[in-house]
Amino acid sequence: MTIEPDTGGTDTVFHGYFRSSAAYRCRIAFNLKGFAPAQRFVHLRKGEQKSAAYKALSPAGLVPALETPRGVLTQSLAIIEWLDETMPDPALLPADAWTRAKARAFAQTIACDIHPVNNLRILGYLKTPLGHDQATVDTWYRHWIAEGLSAAEALAQDAGGSGAFLFGDAPGLAEICLVPQLYNARRFACPMEAYPRLLAVEAACNALPAFADAAPDRQPDAEG
């Protein structure tokens, strides 16, 4: 029997980190759904994700993780789609199969192509043990951002929508993945001028409380 998520409380616990783009995605989805799990913070810079206690929840040692009455879910897209299936209003994916697939393709361009090669553990490995300096690591990051966001901009233009959002009249999975990635790209001073459609969609999203309240600098564990 499927257990519907409630709107918060101690039976659901979200483990995240304020700067994690994957956790950021989940926070946006939670806000859009009115879902408020208890929060536990995993400090990635201090290596708390490598502890035995956290790996008992998330064997890969990655955030986010969501403890539910049925067990633990990992991977942001899996968490978001589970939430969308158990709390279907408002929907985070389009109603028709073709547009739904296009929205998923856009989201996966970010979550599966850009993010995995640029997350903290990869950047850390480039420096230790591979010995690259920070300038080289930054060049790596900006290269994959340019490759990935160029593809995302082309997909956004191909979506054909003239409205504020990519695949309908409201934000969904595509925007949930886009906004955190653009936030992190700016942290590394990536040039953004080549992505006008992405920037327009981002601005429309960040005008909404669900996105604004999920921003890293508004989280209880935020640091300078």
Side-chain angles (χ1 to χ4, degrees):
M1 178 180 69
T2 299
I3 297 177
E4 303 288 326
D6 66 8
T7 57
T10 57
D11 59 345
T12 55
V13 180
F14 181 67
H15 300 260
Y17 179 64
F18 77 108
R19 277 204 184 119
S20 161
S21 58
Y24 190 173
R25 293 171 202 148
C26 291
R27 293 195 302 264
I28 296 168
F30 295 164
N31 290 346
L32 288 168
K33 295 288 189 179
F35 178 65
Q39 294 194 64
R40 299 291 183 272
F41 306 114
V42 182
H43 200 301
L44 301 185
R45 293 282 181 184
K46 293 180 180 178
E48 291 176 357
Q49 72 278 19
K50 299 175 184 177
S51 71
Y54 186 70
K55 282 198 166 186
L57 295 174
S58 176
L62 299 172
V63 297
L66 182 69
E67 293 185 80
T68 80
R70 297 191 68 181
V72 180
L73 283 174
T74 60
Q75 296 293 337
S76 62
L77 296 191
I79 291 169
I80 292 165
E81 291 213 36
W82 170 78
L83 191 65
D84 202 34
E85 291 170 3
T86 55
M87 293 182 69
D89 185 33
L92 301 180
L93 284 163
D96 71 282
W98 178 257
T99 312
R100 193 160 61 245
K102 298 282 279 186
R104 283 192 173 111
F106 182 94
Q108 290 171 17
T109 296
I110 293 169
C112 301
D113 294 344
I114 302 174
H115 178 229
V117 296
N118 274 347
N119 70 8
L120 181 63
R121 65 176 181 169
I122 300 301
L123 301 182
Y125 192 78
L126 288 170
K127 293 175 74 172
T128 307
L130 296 185
H132 296 294
D133 61 17
Q134 187 63 50
T136 302
V137 172
D138 290 349
T139 298
W140 166 284
Y141 188 98
R142 293 176 189 135
H143 170 79
W144 294 115
I145 286 288
E147 290 274 320
L149 291 185
S150 294
E153 176 72 15
L155 291 174
Q157 297 285 352
D158 183 62
S162 58
F165 306 111
L166 290 167
F167 298 99
D169 297 329
L173 183 64
E175 290 83 4
I176 285 169
C177 289
L178 173 64
V179 168
Q181 189 61 71
L182 294 183
Y183 166 85
N184 275 329
R186 288 192 181 89
R187 288 182 56 229
F188 283 80
C190 298
M192 307 295 282
E193 298 81 5
Y195 320 117
R197 179 60 175 149
L198 301 184
L199 296 179
V201 172
E202 177 196 34
C205 289
N206 282 335
L208 302 175
F211 284 80
D213 292 345
D217 61 0
R218 295 195 182 187
Q219 304 317 301
D221 62 326
E223 300 174 341

